[in-house]
């Protein structure tokens, strides 16, 4: 049998999973999902990676289980599940099935969350949310910008205009997971009547026929099935109710649902990849025998040390993710969306600084784990057939996926030292210390010229 098809549950056993965090119903769902991953998603993952195939077949399997509507309220036909369950589902898909599908599914859950936040009086959003499983309607988020990279909260290449019949939307995105394949998109632009304040953002719903994409050009080191390429919306006219929430709601939407769901679920994806690499390593090292010394590879203390450290670190990361998910559930009554009928109800926002840490930790850990599991498997691990190589490439996406780990650790360090107010997301605060220091360097004529320029700008 091909080694790729022999993965867990013959890998790291269930004694090393925090099952006490999950309800009996969630454990049953996980068992059902593992079976679908083994029969359907894992073979598709190999094809997606080899041929850059978008994993729609895997989404069809998820829809058949009712998982596209995982967090959609039962009143709209969904499962009405929690943040904790969402993290478990993403981790399970990444571990036993397909990391690309896990990442596309993460973005789908984020799009659902952005829609659910403001669906209460919007029949267009309700109609999509109620049909995600029945019609396999895949959603995604498009918040990136080609001019600002991972500082995606500055959509400098995007805008929206009021029209007599609704809105005209212009959007350019550098990275959009499922771009060109998703059926519906939540996009962020500067608001209509934008006056230069980048905290004034708005969200819109657009559909597949309203975007332009060229997914055939997607060429990534890993995550090859997620088709994360550029898209554009070129002055498309959309209906009034395609506005998601009120004008100017974009910053609240980002902090309340878009970032929380992305940071939580992408972290679960990285943990799933780490576990998958350890599953392969256990299967290989317990079977491979060095006949000259009569030992299996797993009998060497060095290999045991590798796996022990990686399992400890990964379970610390999993615990961090599950703890954050539980905190989100506690703040939202198990991911109950009804409270958001009040636009000022933003319970997740206060936990955002914890989710920054979760994403940093999990994506840092997966890079270490896949590297060490390659070492543990030796020359065989270097061969693509074992499966470590694909997971190594997929896992490398974690560090650079925005907000990148460089951005997040600076957020944490800067705000811990100086307070959250100094983060200045929207670049509105003047750094008087830097300004005064630079002015000290100027000669009197240079200061006079600079003052004249400032006066001219002020009077313009």
């Amino acid at each position: 049998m091909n080694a790729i098809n022999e993965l867990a549950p013959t890998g790291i056993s269930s004694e090393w999973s925090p099952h006490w965090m999950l309800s009996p119903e969630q454990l049953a769902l996980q068992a059902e999902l593992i079976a679908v991953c083994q029969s359907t998603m894992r073979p598709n993952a190999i094809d997606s990676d080899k041929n850059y195939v978008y994993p729609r077949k895997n989404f069809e399997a998820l829809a058949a289980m009712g998982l596209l509507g995982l967090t959609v309220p039962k009143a709209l036909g969904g499962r009405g599940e929690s943040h904790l369950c969402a993290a478990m589902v993403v981790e399970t898909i990444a571990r036993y099935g397909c990391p690309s599908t896990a990442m596309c599914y993460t973005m789908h859950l984020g799009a659902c969350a952005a829609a659910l936040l403001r669906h209460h009086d919007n029949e267009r959003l309700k109609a999509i949310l109620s049909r995600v499983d029945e019609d396999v309607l895949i959603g995604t988020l498009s918040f990136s910008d080609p001019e600002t990279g991972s500082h995606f909260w500055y959509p400098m290449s995007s805008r929206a205009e009021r029209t007599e019949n609704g809105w005209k939307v212009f959007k350019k995105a550098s990275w959009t997971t499922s771009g060109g394949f998703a059926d519906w998109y939540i996009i962020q632009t500067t608001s209509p009547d934008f006056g230069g304040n980048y905290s004034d953002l708005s969200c819109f719903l657009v559909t597949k026929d309203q975007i332009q994409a060229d997914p055939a050009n997607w060429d990534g080191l890993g995550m090859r099935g997620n088709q994360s390429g550029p898209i554009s919306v070129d002055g498309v006219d959309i209906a009034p109710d395609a506005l998601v929430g009120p004008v100017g709601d974009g910053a609240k939407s980002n902090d309340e649902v878009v970032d929380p769901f992305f940071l939580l679920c992408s972290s679960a994806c990285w943990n799933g990849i780490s576990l998958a690499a350890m599953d392969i390593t256990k299967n290989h090292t317990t079977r491979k025998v060095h006949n000259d010394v009569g030992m299996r590879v797993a009998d060497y203390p060095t290999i045991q040390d590798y796996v022990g450290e990686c399992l400890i670190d990964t379970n610390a990361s999993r615990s961090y993710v599950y703890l954050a998910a539980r905190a989100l559930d506690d703040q939202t009554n198990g991911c109950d969306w009804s409270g958001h009928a009040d636009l000022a109800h933003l319970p997740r926002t206060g936990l955002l600084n914890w989710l920054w840490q979760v994403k940093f930790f999990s994506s840092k850990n997966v890079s270490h784990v896949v590297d060490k599991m390659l070492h543990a498997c030796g020359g065989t691990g270097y061969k693509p057939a074992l499966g470590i190589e694909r997971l190594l490439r997929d896992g490398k996406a974690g560090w650079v996926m925005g907000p990148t780990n460089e951005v997040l650790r600076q957020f944490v360090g800067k705000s811990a030292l100086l307070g959250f107010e100094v983060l200045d997301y929207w670049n509105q605060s003047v750094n008087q210390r830097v300004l005064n220091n630079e002015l000290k360097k100027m000669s009197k004529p240079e200061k006079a010229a600079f003052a004249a320029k400032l006066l001219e700008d002020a009077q313009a």
Side-chain angles (χ1 to χ4, degrees):
M1 185 181 292
N2 189 309
I4 291 176
N5 294 322
E6 295 179 353
L7 301 188
T10 58
I12 302 297
S13 64
S14 61
E15 290 89 349
W16 301 101
S17 288
H19 285 161
W20 63 85
M21 298 286 288
L22 304 174
S23 69
E25 293 78 15
Q26 290 166 346
L27 288 171
L29 174 62
Q30 184 181 44
E32 181 184 356
L33 180 56
I34 289 172
V36 172
C37 285
Q38 290 179 296
S39 65
T40 302
M41 293 192 192
R42 188 178 300 141
N44 291 340
I46 300 167
D47 186 37
S48 287
D49 181 69
K50 183 177 180 180
N51 298 311
Y52 291 91
V53 175
Y54 184 74
R56 188 166 187 92
K57 291 181 180 179
N58 287 351
F59 269 94
E60 291 170 356
L62 291 171
M65 293 180 63
L67 291 181
L68 298 194
L70 182 70
T71 58
V72 174
K74 292 180 180 180
L76 289 176
R79 282 181 171 266
E81 268 293 356
S82 65
H83 300 87
L84 180 61
C85 187
M88 177 275 289
V89 169
V90 173
E91 180 192 282
T92 301
I93 295 170
R95 179 180 185 180
Y96 298 112
C98 171
S100 286
T101 302
M103 185 49 60
C104 293
Y105 183 65
T106 289
M107 303 307 283
H108 170 81
L109 291 178
C112 287
L116 286 164
L117 181 68
R118 302 303 187 217
H119 79 285
H120 303 85
D121 58 355
N122 188 313
E123 296 304 318
R124 185 180 295 267
L125 294 177
K126 289 180 184 179
I128 286 180
L129 292 166
S130 65
R131 293 165 40 226
V132 288
D133 285 309
E134 180 181 356
D135 295 339
V136 195
L137 297 180
I138 303 170
T140 195
L141 298 163
S142 186
F143 279 52
S144 64
D145 189 280
E147 293 190 29
T148 57
S150 64
H151 296 179
F152 59 85
W153 50 94
Y154 280 95
M156 299 181 73
S157 303
S158 306
R159 71 183 195 277
E161 301 171 359
R162 298 177 189 269
T163 68
E164 291 183 0
N165 300 314
W167 317 98
K168 184 183 289 290
V169 176
F170 300 81
K171 174 71 179 179
K172 289 185 179 180
S174 49
W175 299 89
T176 298
T177 297
S178 303
F181 291 92
D183 300 289
W184 56 283
Y185 301 71
I186 302 293
I187 67 172
Q188 180 178 262
T189 73
T190 54
S191 292
D193 306 320
F194 174 70
N197 178 0
Y198 277 95
S199 65
D200 184 11
L201 306 173
S202 295
C203 296
F204 297 92
L205 168 70
V206 295
T207 52
K208 185 176 182 179
D209 60 304
Q210 295 172 317
I211 69 128
Q212 297 175 20
D214 188 9
N217 284 331
W218 166 237
D219 185 10
L221 176 70
M223 291 286 180
R224 290 179 172 174
N226 76 359
Q227 300 292 336
S228 188
I231 71 163
S232 63
V233 181
D234 190 14
V236 172
D237 289 304
I238 60 176
D241 58 355
L243 176 68
V244 181
V247 170
D249 194 54
K252 289 182 180 178
S253 175
N254 182 74
D255 289 354
E256 177 60 21
V257 289
V258 171
D259 260 11
F261 271 87
F262 171 74
L263 295 169
L264 179 77
C265 293
S266 63
S267 298
C269 177
W270 311 132
N271 290 339
I273 292 173
S274 295
L275 292 163
M278 284 184 277
D279 288 336
I280 293 174
T281 300
K282 178 179 178 181
N283 293 339
H284 174 69
T285 60
T286 55
R287 296 169 187 175
K288 177 67 175 179
V289 177
H290 291 162
N291 286 320
D292 55 334
V293 293
M295 294 174 65
R296 298 168 300 176
V297 175
D299 292 326
Y300 288 98
T302 298
I303 306 304
Q304 296 165 6
D305 287 349
Y306 279 163
V307 173
E309 179 187 15
C310 288
L311 183 56
I312 290 167
D313 288 347
T314 300
N315 271 334
S317 182
R318 298 172 80 191
S319 299
Y320 212 166
V321 169
Y322 284 10
L323 180 65
R326 180 65 62 82
L328 291 167
D329 285 334
D330 289 345
Q331 291 294 314
T332 60
N333 191 28
C335 202
D336 180 1
W337 297 98
S338 61
H340 293 294
D342 175 4
L343 297 180
H345 182 63
L346 304 169
R348 298 174 186 83
T349 301
L351 294 170
L352 195 52
N353 61 312
W354 288 98
L355 295 165
W356 296 337
Q357 298 173 73
V358 167
K359 189 270 181 181
F360 178 89
F361 193 87
S362 64
S363 54
K364 178 182 178 181
N365 179 66
V366 70
S367 290
H368 176 75
V369 170
V370 294
D371 187 61
K372 289 302 179 185
M373 293 305 97
L374 172 63
H375 296 173
C377 291
T380 303
Y382 196 68
K383 298 178 180 180
L386 191 66
I388 289 282
E389 176 261 358
R390 174 167 58 84
L391 295 174
L392 187 149
R393 289 185 287 104
D394 286 347
K396 289 296 183 182
W399 186 282
V400 298
M401 193 170 289
T404 66
N405 275 21
E406 286 83 4
V407 169
L408 290 177
R409 68 187 175 193
Q410 186 188 37
F411 276 3
V412 171
K414 191 173 184 179
S415 56
L417 289 169
L418 305 173
F420 289 107
E421 64 277 4
V422 303
L423 292 180
D424 191 21
Y425 291 135
W426 316 113
N427 199 28
Q428 294 173 322
S429 299
V430 177
N431 191 327
Q432 295 288 349
R433 290 186 179 88
V434 172
L435 181 60
N436 291 334
N437 185 63
E438 294 302 310
L439 289 173
K440 285 190 299 185
K441 301 175 185 178
M442 291 183 176
S443 65
K444 288 184 178 181
E446 287 172 335
K447 288 179 180 179
F450 184 59
K453 180 63 170 61
L454 289 177
L455 185 59
E456 180 183 343
D457 291 344
Q459 293 174 343

